[in-house]
Amino acid sequence: WKANSEYKGLRPLDPLAKWFWQLLESWGPLRRSHVLQLATGTAAAPKGGFEYLAGHDIQRSDGAYRFSLRKQQAQQPQDDAATKHANKPLPRAFAPLNRLYLPEYKSKQELAAGLEQALHRMLHGKPAVDAVAQSGGGSSTL
C-alpha cells in the first residue's frame, strides 16, 4: 500500500505521513481495511495489489488513481460538533479518486484520535463520501 501511494502537500518523511503509516502498521487487518474503505470506498485491496487501485473518474480513460495521502488545507473553525474532534478537524476523504486528506495534527495520538472518529462516523451511519463527492463535485468532511 505504502509503496504505491502518492503525496500532495506533504512528503513521505514528514511527521504526519510517518505517523499515518506507523498507525496503519500497528493496527490489525480489520481496522486497516476500514481506513482503506474510508479513502477508496472499498475495504479490500484490488486483485494483484495496490498498483492496480482504480478510481472512478470518467475523465481518465485508464481509470488509474493511486492512493493519495494529502495534507488538508487549514479550515475556518467550525461550530458543528459533527465535523470536528476536540476542536480539531477530522480527516476527509474523496473516494472516487482514492484520496485521504489529513489535517495538520501535532502528534501521532491526535492523528489516531481523528482517524478513529472518522472511522466511527463512517461505520455508524455518516457516509464517508457524500452525494456531491460521489458525483465528482468535491470532498466530504467525515
Side-chain angles (χ1 to χ4, degrees), residues 54-72:
H56 306 287
D57 186 349
I58 59 172
Q59 295 178 4
R60 278 189 68 159
S61 61
D62 65 0
Y65 284 95
R66 288 181 158 196
F67 171 75
S68 179
L69 192 59
R70 295 168 176 239
K71 186 174 176 183
Q72 185 172 309

Side-chain angles (χ1 to χ4, degrees), residues 25-130:
E25 290 169 5
S26 72
W27 289 347
L30 181 60
R31 194 176 307 168
R32 284 194 303 265
S33 74
H34 290 156
V35 173
L36 181 62
Q37 181 178 355
L38 175 70
T40 68
T42 182
K47 186 175 182 178
F50 282 96
E51 66 184 279
Y52 296 101
L53 190 64
H56 306 287
D57 186 349
I58 59 172
Q59 295 178 4
R60 278 189 68 159
S61 61
D62 65 0
Y65 284 95
R66 288 181 158 196
F67 171 75
S68 179
L69 192 59
R70 295 168 176 239
K71 186 174 176 183
Q72 185 172 309
Q73 298 299 315
Q75 299 176 346
Q76 296 294 333
Q78 300 175 6
D79 293 328
D80 179 8
T83 59
K84 62 184 179 178
H85 175 71
N87 297 322
K88 302 271 185 215
L90 295 177
R92 298 166 56 106
F94 188 62
L97 300 182
N98 305 320
R99 293 179 183 169
L100 183 61
Y101 295 86
L102 300 177
E104 191 168 352
Y105 292 112
K106 302 292 183 203
S107 70
K108 184 165 60 169
Q109 292 74 24
E110 281 185 6
L111 172 59
L115 279 170
E116 290 286 356
Q117 182 66 22
L119 293 174
H120 178 81
R121 293 189 64 195
M122 177 192 71
L123 295 169
H124 299 286
K126 177 70 176 176
V129 179
D130 64 12

